[in-house]
Amino acid sequence: MYFRLPLDKIFCMQKLIFSFAFLMFISGFSQAQDLDDIRQYLSKNQFAEAKKAIDAMIQNPKQAKDAEVWYYKGVINNACSKDKDVSGEDAMKNRQEAFDAFRKCQQLDKSDKLMKLEMYESYYDLYAGAFNLGVTEYNKKNYPLSMHSFMLTVSINDYIQQKEYTFNGVQLAKLDTSLHVNIIVTALQSDSIDIAITYFKKLADAGIRTKDVRDVSEDLLSYGLKKGNDQMFEGLLGMAGKLFPEEEIWLDYELKFYENKNDKAILHKKYEELIDKHPNNFTIVYNYAVELYNEIHTGEQANTNDFVMNEKFMNYIQKSIQNEGKKDVMARLLLNRHLFNVYNDLEKSMKDIKGNKPQDIQAKNKIKQEIDKVSTQFIANSESALSFLDGVSNKTSVQKANQKLVIQMLIEIYSDQKNTQKVSYYEKLVIALDKQ
């Protein structure tokens, strides 16, 4: 996972329109001695003293009803947030308080003269400051603070959009995709999945289909796969699938989620449900055949004599071969492995019958019929696979290894059948392949 941040989004305002000269200009609106003292602090860049004084005024019920007091609180907290010695946490707190103070000022100032005079630049300055703090804290790997800084940036932007403010031609995006992606990334880094989902839902509801959104969709599913419950994961999967229905990788995540439940019956049901929806999807059908193969031939529960599992495997491997067509030979090679294992198990079963009683001979004959059936099927499938591989001009190392494996299995079966002509042919072919 990497931090996706377009460079053209990192900007700082050139300077505050509300210079301290401007603050002296608006002093005409209020004659309070306390505000005169605060203006003096500001003229001397004594922000800590100004903050202490303005916070004391806020505690006075009468002064707390004065819009100008709240305006100055916004200005002072915003200025304090830019102190080079202030911590990231305090910078964030100051910006949040400044944002709250400016809005409180507007609530009290029905004419909105204070904010109009500065053309609402304070909000744009807070927006830029909160965004840049998010970047700074991300680079420090302080992901929770970075996340909250970006969230504040979105809140400021939402307020600007709601009020339809503009400043010097700067027009912010109504729904800033990069900001939302940044919040999701930092939320995942902070293990704050509820926040990540909230902002992802905004992008999904808006139908935003950028590469960054696609990538963060996968980040969310990866998180849900490791730590999510059914409801969370299925919700994320639904949003990702709605945004990017063409992405087959969502099916992989869905199947992996059910694999992690360690319940074969549930996994089989999910595979079959997806195959019903995507009958021509080679990967899903092939992977289900692989799952069935592994259950039949590997692990403590392996049982090649399980009729139901064998029938199910044969059904889905044939579907897989049909979907594969002439594009590859993976499904035929998997069928080959299955048939070869079944063949060897049948051979062993027949050798295990030591007696010569009529029932023993009958049992041997029945197994012999099965061996003949399986070996015939194996040989036909092997020849089909070899024909495909022979037609591949530049074989990969895997294809070469598979080609040799098929031939060696054929040699073993033809040896059991005492077909020396075929054995000799395939042995010479192995030698020729080794020289290539």
Side-chain angles (χ1 to χ4, degrees):
M1 184 186 295
Y2 64 96
F3 189 56
R4 306 171 187 92
L5 196 65
L7 296 178
D8 59 355
K9 272 307 310 290
I10 304 178
F11 69 95
C12 295
M13 295 298 175
Q14 293 179 351
K15 61 179 180 179
L16 293 179
I17 244 183
F18 45 86
S19 63
F20 297 128
F22 171 74
L23 294 175
M24 297 303 289
F25 168 73
I26 67 168
S27 66
F29 294 127
S30 173
Q31 298 301 318
Q33 181 61 46
D34 289 338
L35 283 181
D36 286 340
D37 293 341
I38 285 172
R39 282 189 280 270
Q40 288 300 315
Y41 287 135
L42 291 176
S43 68
K44 299 174 183 178
N45 292 333
Q46 294 175 334
F47 303 123
E49 291 81 357
K51 187 175 185 302
K52 186 182 295 184
I54 200 69
D55 286 344
M57 291 183 71
I58 295 295
Q59 297 303 312
N60 183 311
K62 182 178 180 181
Q63 291 177 316
K65 295 178 182 179
D66 186 342
E68 194 172 353
V69 170
W70 286 100
Y71 179 80
Y72 270 93
K73 177 168 175 57
V75 171
I76 292 166
N77 278 87
N78 192 24
C80 289
S81 73
K82 301 174 184 180
D83 190 319
K84 62 182 179 61
D85 296 323
V86 74
S87 68
E89 287 73 14
D90 284 342
M92 172 67 191
K93 182 181 178 183
N94 275 306
R95 286 196 172 94
Q96 181 66 63
E97 289 187 16
F99 182 42
D100 295 339
F102 287 129
R103 287 182 294 173
K104 181 69 173 178
C105 166
Q106 289 182 286
Q107 290 173 13
L108 296 171
D109 179 12
K110 301 304 180 184
S111 66
D112 203 20
K113 59 180 179 290
L114 292 168
M115 298 303 292
K116 280 181 180 177
L117 277 172
E118 56 145 78
M119 297 186 293
Y120 307 105
E121 185 184 7
S122 291
Y123 288 122
Y124 282 81
D125 189 69
L126 282 173
Y127 173 94
F131 184 91
N132 290 334
L133 178 63
V135 175
T136 299
E137 295 305 317
Y138 182 88
N139 291 333
K140 293 178 181 178
K141 302 189 186 309
N142 189 345
Y143 302 120
L145 182 54
S146 178
M147 174 188 72
H148 285 293
S149 297
F150 287 131
M151 289 170 66
L152 176 58
T153 311
V154 169
S155 295
I156 296 167
N157 186 35
D158 288 346
Y159 187 76
I160 290 171
Q161 298 297 333
Q162 176 194 340
K163 297 294 186 178
E164 298 182 346
Y165 296 150
T166 58
F167 173 75
N168 281 355
V170 176
Q171 184 68 49
L172 301 176
K174 288 185 178 180
L175 192 152
D176 192 315
T177 302
S178 297
L179 261 178
H180 283 67
V181 168
N182 292 347
I183 292 170
I184 295 166
V185 170
T186 50
L188 290 175
Q189 295 277 19
S190 306
D191 216 22
S192 300
I193 185 61
D194 290 343
I195 290 174
I197 292 173
T198 296
Y199 283 86
F200 181 58
K201 187 176 186 304
K202 291 182 180 182
L203 295 174
D205 289 345
I208 306 298
R209 286 173 43 86
T210 66
K211 181 182 182 301
D212 283 347
V213 175
R214 184 256 172 242
D215 290 345
V216 87
S217 301
E218 189 168 352
D219 293 340
L220 282 159
L221 284 173
S222 295
Y223 183 99
L225 195 61
K226 295 173 185 175
K227 302 183 181 182
N229 54 40
D230 287 13
Q231 184 178 4
M232 176 201 296
F233 184 82
E234 288 170 2
L236 289 170
L237 190 66
M239 286 188 282
K242 184 179 178 181
L243 278 176
F244 304 96
E246 71 282 1
E247 291 283 352
E248 289 191 6
I249 196 169
W250 309 146
L251 301 176
D252 294 338
Y253 276 99
E254 185 171 8
L255 288 168
K256 185 64 178 174
F257 183 76
Y258 283 92
E259 283 176 16
N260 290 347
K261 292 181 177 293
N262 295 317
D263 187 321
K264 296 299 184 183
I266 291 177
L267 179 61
H268 288 194
K269 183 179 178 181
K270 177 52 64 174
Y271 261 115
E272 289 163 20
E273 174 189 313
L274 290 175
I275 289 170
D276 285 344
K277 291 180 181 177
H278 310 277
N280 299 320
N281 186 302
F282 169 77
T283 304
I284 300 176
V285 182
Y286 174 77
N287 284 346
Y288 188 31
V290 171
E291 173 63 32
L292 295 169
Y293 172 90
N294 289 335
E295 291 179 34
I296 293 169
H297 297 290
T298 64
E300 295 179 0
Q301 305 299 320
N303 181 10
T304 56
N305 295 319
D306 187 326
F307 176 79
V308 174
M309 286 291 286
N310 273 283
E311 284 293 303
K312 186 178 282 191
F313 171 81
M314 290 302 294
N315 176 39
Y316 285 103
I317 195 62
Q318 292 296 347
K319 285 179 185 284
S320 184
I321 290 171
Q322 183 179 356
N323 287 343
E324 186 176 48
K326 297 180 180 180
K327 293 179 288 187
D328 207 337
V329 74
M330 289 171 62
R332 279 170 281 181
L333 291 173
L334 180 62
L335 175 58
N336 246 36
R337 287 172 181 249
H338 170 74
L339 293 172
F340 188 73
N341 287 337
V342 171
Y343 171 86
N344 281 320
D345 285 346
L346 288 168
E347 283 279 345
K348 183 178 182 301
S349 297
M350 191 166 67
K351 289 175 183 177
D352 287 343
I353 302 173
K354 305 298 183 183
N356 290 308
K357 294 178 182 180
Q359 61 266 32
D360 296 329
I361 295 172
Q362 184 180 8
K364 284 183 180 180
N365 287 337
K366 186 176 179 181
I367 294 174
K368 180 66 169 61
Q369 289 175 354
E370 285 298 312
I371 288 174
D372 289 344
K373 178 182 174 182
V374 171
S375 61
T376 298
Q377 194 174 2
F378 173 83
I379 290 169
N381 189 68
S382 295
E383 288 175 349
S384 173
L386 289 176
S387 175
F388 175 88
L389 292 169
D390 286 341
V392 178
S393 55
N394 296 310
K395 297 181 186 65
T396 65
S397 58
V398 173
Q399 288 174 325
K400 290 177 182 178
N402 283 328
Q403 185 180 30
K404 193 171 181 179
L405 179 61
V406 171
I407 293 170
Q408 288 169 337
M409 289 190 290
L410 277 169
I411 290 172
E412 183 172 331
I413 287 183
Y414 280 128
S415 295
D416 290 343
Q417 294 178 350
K418 298 187 174 12
N419 189 332
T420 55
Q421 184 177 357
K422 288 289 187 181
V423 170
S424 175
Y425 170 77
Y426 283 112
E427 284 179 343
K428 289 177 182 177
L429 190 54
V430 170
I431 293 170
L433 289 173
D434 287 339
K435 291 180 179 178
Q436 291 180 0

Coordinates of all heavy atoms in Angstrom, one line a residue, residues 10-40:
I10 N -1.4 20.0 -3.0 CA -0.6 20.6 -1.8 C -0.4 22.0 -2.2 O 0.5 22.3 -3.0 CB 0.7 19.8 -1.6 CG1 0.4 18.3 -1.4 CG2 1.4 20.4 -0.4 CD1 1.7 17.5 -1.1
F11 N -1.1 22.9 -1.5 CA -0.9 24.3 -1.8 C -1.1 25.0 -0.5 O -1.7 24.6 0.5 CB -1.9 24.8 -2.8 CG -3.3 24.9 -2.4 CD1 -3.9 26.0 -1.8 CD2 -4.1 23.7 -2.5 CE1 -5.2 26.1 -1.4 CE2 -5.5 23.8 -2.0 CZ -6.0 25.0 -1.5
C12 N -0.5 26.2 -0.4 CA -0.6 27.1 0.8 C -1.0 28.4 0.2 O -0.6 28.9 -0.8 CB 0.7 27.2 1.5 SG 1.3 25.7 2.3
M13 N -1.9 29.1 1.0 CA -2.3 30.5 0.6 C -1.0 31.4 0.6 O -0.1 31.2 1.5 CB -3.3 31.0 1.6 CG -4.6 30.2 1.5 SD -5.4 30.3 -0.1 CE -6.7 29.2 0.1
Q14 N -1.0 32.3 -0.3 CA 0.2 33.2 -0.4 C 0.3 34.0 0.9 O 1.4 34.1 1.4 CB 0.0 34.1 -1.6 CG 0.0 33.4 -2.9 CD -0.1 34.3 -4.1 OE1 -0.5 35.5 -3.9 NE2 0.1 33.8 -5.3
K15 N -0.8 34.5 1.4 CA -0.7 35.3 2.7 C -2.1 35.5 3.1 O -3.1 35.4 2.4 CB 0.0 36.6 2.5 CG -0.7 37.6 1.5 CD 0.1 38.9 1.4 CE -0.6 39.8 0.4 NZ 0.0 41.1 0.4
L16 N -2.2 35.8 4.4 CA -3.6 36.0 4.9 C -4.0 37.4 4.5 O -3.3 38.4 4.7 CB -3.5 35.9 6.5 CG -3.3 34.5 7.0 CD1 -3.3 34.6 8.5 CD2 -4.3 33.5 6.6
I17 N -5.2 37.5 4.0 CA -5.8 38.8 3.7 C -5.9 39.6 5.0 O -5.8 40.8 5.1 CB -7.1 38.7 3.0 CG1 -6.9 39.3 1.6 CG2 -8.2 39.4 3.7 CD1 -8.2 39.3 0.8
F18 N -6.3 38.9 6.1 CA -6.5 39.6 7.4 C -5.2 39.8 8.0 O -4.8 39.2 9.0 CB -7.5 38.8 8.3 CG -7.3 37.3 8.4 CD1 -6.4 36.8 9.3 CD2 -8.0 36.5 7.5 CE1 -6.2 35.5 9.4 CE2 -7.7 35.1 7.7 CZ -6.9 34.6 8.6
S19 N -4.4 40.6 7.4 CA -3.2 41.1 8.1 C -3.5 41.8 9.3 O -4.7 42.1 9.6 CB -2.4 42.0 7.1 OG -3.2 43.2 6.9
F20 N -2.6 42.0 10.2 CA -2.9 42.7 11.4 C -3.3 44.1 11.2 O -4.0 44.7 12.0 CB -1.7 42.6 12.4 CG -1.4 41.1 12.7 CD1 -0.1 40.6 12.6 CD2 -2.4 40.3 13.2 CE1 0.1 39.3 12.9 CE2 -2.2 39.0 13.5 CZ -0.9 38.5 13.3
A21 N -2.9 44.7 10.1 CA -3.5 46.0 9.7 C -5.0 45.9 9.5 O -5.7 46.8 9.9 CB -2.8 46.5 8.5
F22 N -5.4 44.8 8.9 CA -6.8 44.6 8.6 C -7.5 44.4 10.0 O -8.6 44.9 10.2 CB -7.0 43.3 7.8 CG -8.4 42.9 7.7 CD1 -9.3 43.6 6.9 CD2 -8.9 41.8 8.4 CE1 -10.7 43.2 6.8 CE2 -10.2 41.4 8.3 CZ -11.1 42.1 7.5
L23 N -6.9 43.7 10.9 CA -7.5 43.5 12.2 C -7.6 44.9 12.9 O -8.6 45.1 13.7 CB -6.7 42.6 13.0 CG -6.6 41.1 12.5 CD1 -5.7 40.3 13.4 CD2 -8.0 40.5 12.5
M24 N -6.7 45.8 12.7 CA -6.8 47.1 13.3 C -8.0 47.9 12.7 O -8.7 48.6 13.3 CB -5.5 47.9 13.2 CG -4.3 47.2 13.9 SD -4.5 47.0 15.6 CE -4.5 48.7 16.2
F25 N -8.2 47.6 11.4 CA -9.2 48.3 10.6 C -10.6 47.9 11.2 O -11.5 48.7 11.4 CB -9.1 47.9 9.2 CG -10.4 48.3 8.4 CD1 -10.6 49.7 8.1 CD2 -11.3 47.4 7.9 CE1 -11.7 50.1 7.4 CE2 -12.4 47.8 7.2 CZ -12.6 49.1 6.9
I26 N -10.8 46.6 11.5 CA -12.1 46.2 12.0 C -12.3 46.5 13.4 O -13.4 46.3 14.0 CB -12.3 44.7 11.8 CG1 -11.4 43.9 12.7 CG2 -12.2 44.3 10.3 CD1 -11.7 42.4 12.7
S27 N -11.3 47.1 14.1 CA -11.4 47.4 15.5 C -12.5 48.5 15.7 O -13.0 48.6 16.8 CB -10.1 48.0 16.1 OG -9.7 49.2 15.4
G28 N -12.9 49.1 14.6 CA -13.9 50.1 14.8 C -15.3 49.5 15.1 O -16.2 50.2 15.5
F29 N -15.4 48.2 14.9 CA -16.7 47.6 15.1 C -16.9 47.3 16.6 O -18.0 47.1 17.1 CB -16.8 46.2 14.4 CG -16.8 46.4 12.9 CD1 -15.9 45.7 12.1 CD2 -17.7 47.2 12.3 CE1 -15.9 45.8 10.8 CE2 -17.8 47.3 10.9 CZ -16.9 46.6 10.2
S30 N -15.8 47.4 17.4 CA -16.0 47.1 18.8 C -15.0 48.0 19.6 O -13.9 48.2 19.2 CB -15.6 45.6 19.1 OG -15.6 45.4 20.5
Q31 N -15.5 48.5 20.7 CA -14.7 49.4 21.5 C -14.2 48.8 22.8 O -13.7 49.4 23.7 CB -15.5 50.7 21.9 CG -16.0 51.5 20.7 CD -14.9 52.0 19.8 OE1 -13.9 52.4 20.4 NE2 -15.0 51.9 18.5
A32 N -14.4 47.4 22.9 CA -14.0 46.7 24.1 C -12.5 46.8 24.3 O -11.7 46.6 23.4 CB -14.4 45.2 24.0
Q33 N -12.2 47.2 25.6 CA -10.8 47.4 25.9 C -10.0 46.1 25.8 O -8.9 46.0 25.4 CB -10.6 47.9 27.4 CG -9.2 48.1 27.9 CD -8.5 49.1 27.0 OE1 -9.0 50.2 26.7 NE2 -7.2 48.8 26.6
D34 N -10.7 44.9 26.1 CA -10.1 43.6 26.1 C -9.6 43.3 24.6 O -8.5 42.8 24.4 CB -11.0 42.5 26.5 CG -11.2 42.6 28.1 OD1 -10.3 43.2 28.7 OD2 -12.2 42.1 28.6
L35 N -10.4 43.7 23.7 CA -10.1 43.5 22.3 C -8.9 44.4 21.8 O -8.1 44.0 21.0 CB -11.3 43.7 21.4 CG -12.3 42.5 21.4 CD1 -13.5 42.8 20.4 CD2 -11.7 41.2 21.0
D36 N -8.9 45.6 22.4 CA -7.7 46.4 22.1 C -6.4 45.8 22.6 O -5.4 45.8 21.9 CB -7.9 47.8 22.8 CG -8.9 48.7 22.1 OD1 -9.2 48.4 20.9 OD2 -9.4 49.6 22.7
D37 N -6.5 45.2 23.8 CA -5.3 44.5 24.3 C -4.9 43.3 23.4 O -3.7 43.1 23.1 CB -5.6 43.9 25.7 CG -5.8 45.1 26.7 OD1 -5.4 46.2 26.4 OD2 -6.4 44.8 27.8
I38 N -5.9 42.6 22.9 CA -5.6 41.5 22.0 C -5.0 41.9 20.7 O -4.1 41.3 20.2 CB -6.9 40.7 21.8 CG1 -7.2 39.9 23.0 CG2 -6.8 39.7 20.6 CD1 -8.6 39.2 23.0
R39 N -5.5 43.1 20.2 CA -4.9 43.6 18.9 C -3.5 44.0 19.2 O -2.6 43.9 18.3 CB -5.8 44.8 18.4 CG -7.1 44.3 17.7 CD -7.8 45.5 17.1 NE -8.5 46.3 18.0 CZ -9.8 46.0 18.3 NH1 -10.5 45.0 17.8 NH2 -10.4 46.8 19.2
Q40 N -3.2 44.5 20.3 CA -1.8 44.8 20.6 C -0.9 43.6 20.7 O 0.2 43.6 20.2 CB -1.7 45.6 22.0 CG -2.3 47.0 22.0 CD -1.5 47.9 21.0 OE1 -0.3 47.9 20.9 NE2 -2.3 48.6 20.2

